[in-house]
Amino acid sequence: MMFSSTRHFQAFKAAVQFMTCLPVGSSVNSPDDVRSEVLFWYPIVGAMIGAILILVDWLVSPLSHFLQAALLVTIWVIITGALHLDGLADFADAWVGGLGSRERTLEIMQDPRCGPIAVVALTLTLILKIAALMAFHNWVVLLLVPMIARLMIIPAFHSLPYARQLGISGEIQTALSSQSPRKSKVIVATGAVLPLVFVSPWLWILMVVAAMATFWLWRFVMYKRLQGFTGDCIGLLVEVSELVMLLVFATFALTT
């Protein structure tokens, strides 16, 4: 029991380290039995990010809607160390510059330089996030959106192979392959149903449909170009999922 608790705590620390820049110590050299558990903690880390954003929202509540939204997005980026935005930028450059070539696309994603397509993708994403939060946000939105976006990572690891020979995401997937997919299915199902506690059934249905459409579109794009995924592709999935969920909440609030 003690070993199991220690393993889960190490997996939680590794998940926090991979998903945020919060100071929790290094877990890079975690053994396979810990790496196989890391994925399951990602939605919890998303909820932690949401809890921090709720606190920030309370602190900046006297400010204008624009400043509130801008500060929330700024803190959101700081907490995650712009990790997912980096993946979005790398993939945007690689998708256009790769010219349909798998090898060229993977090569460009490893280039640390940021091209004009990446700048456009980052700018539009941040503008749309701020606009969506200006249109509507409350503590439920701030809690659920980061959690749902990171929940999407679990089926991503199960549905596609890793596209490179080396990488932390590849090591996690290798460790995960030794486990039954049943645990992943239970966690995804639980995470999908949980929002019903906080939102109306109609909004929940809209959220589920939007999340599924986002995931399957992402999977189609990854398979078509790369026949797999990389860490940058996971960053893309998280950013797009967050943006889609924010737009769903804002649209629903403005039309009902």
Side-chain angles (χ1 to χ4, degrees):
M1 179 66 70
M2 181 66 70
F3 173 76
S4 177
S5 299
T6 302
R7 185 188 70 199
H8 290 314
F9 179 68
Q10 289 177 342
F12 169 70
K13 280 181 57 180
V16 174
Q17 182 192 18
F18 293 153
M19 289 285 107
T20 74
C21 60
L22 298 176
V24 294
S26 176
S27 301
V28 173
N29 297 318
S30 302
D32 284 351
D33 61 333
V34 172
R35 288 186 182 276
S36 66
E37 297 284 337
V38 169
L39 203 64
F40 307 131
W41 288 100
Y42 284 171
I44 302 299
V45 175
M48 287 175 53
I49 294 171
I52 296 173
L53 293 176
I54 292 170
L55 175 60
V56 172
D57 188 47
W58 177 73
L59 291 173
V60 302
S61 57
L63 303 178
S64 67
H65 289 317
F66 175 75
L67 277 177
Q68 287 183 49
L71 286 171
L72 281 171
V73 171
T74 300
I75 297 300
W76 206 328
V77 172
I78 291 173
I79 294 170
T80 59
L83 171 68
H84 312 307
L85 286 171
D86 179 68
L88 168 69
D90 287 343
F91 185 83
D93 269 343
W95 179 260
V96 175
L99 300 175
S101 167
R102 178 181 187 272
E103 290 70 25
R104 180 61 177 154
T105 300
L106 290 172
E107 179 185 347
I108 294 175
M109 275 196 282
Q110 289 186 308
D111 190 334
R113 291 171 296 182
C114 192
I117 301 302
V119 173
V120 171
L122 290 174
T123 302
L124 291 178
T125 298
L126 293 173
I127 288 175
L128 286 171
K129 281 189 172 183
I130 292 173
L133 287 172
M134 283 182 64
F136 174 77
H137 77 267
N138 60 19
W139 71 270
V140 173
V141 175
L142 298 176
L143 177 67
L144 292 183
V145 169
M147 185 195 76
I148 293 171
R150 285 149 188 83
L151 182 70
M152 304 271 275
I153 300 175
I154 299 177
F157 270 76
H158 282 285
S159 64
L160 287 172
Y162 192 64
R164 301 188 192 276
Q165 292 184 341
L166 299 174
I168 293 177
S169 295
E171 293 172 5
I172 292 175
Q173 188 179 54
T174 300
L176 186 68
S177 64
S178 63
Q179 291 196 356
S180 166
R182 182 175 180 275
K183 185 173 183 179
S184 295
K185 293 178 180 178
V186 170
I187 292 174
V188 171
T190 303
V193 174
L194 183 62
L196 264 175
V197 177
F198 304 100
V199 301
S200 68
W202 286 112
L203 177 54
W204 177 78
I205 291 173
L206 185 59
M207 290 169 59
V208 170
V209 170
M212 291 179 64
T214 300
F215 175 78
W216 285 109
L217 178 60
W218 174 87
R219 186 184 183 280
F220 172 78
V221 170
M222 296 306 107
Y223 184 79
K224 182 178 178 61
R225 175 67 65 89
L226 302 176
Q227 293 80 56
F229 72 94
T230 68
D232 286 330
C233 301
I234 295 298
L236 170 73
L237 176 62
V238 171
E239 284 297 329
V240 172
S241 298
E242 286 183 344
L243 179 56
V244 169
M245 287 298 105
L246 286 172
L247 292 174
V248 165
F249 273 106
T251 303
F252 187 84
L254 293 172
T255 57
T256 55

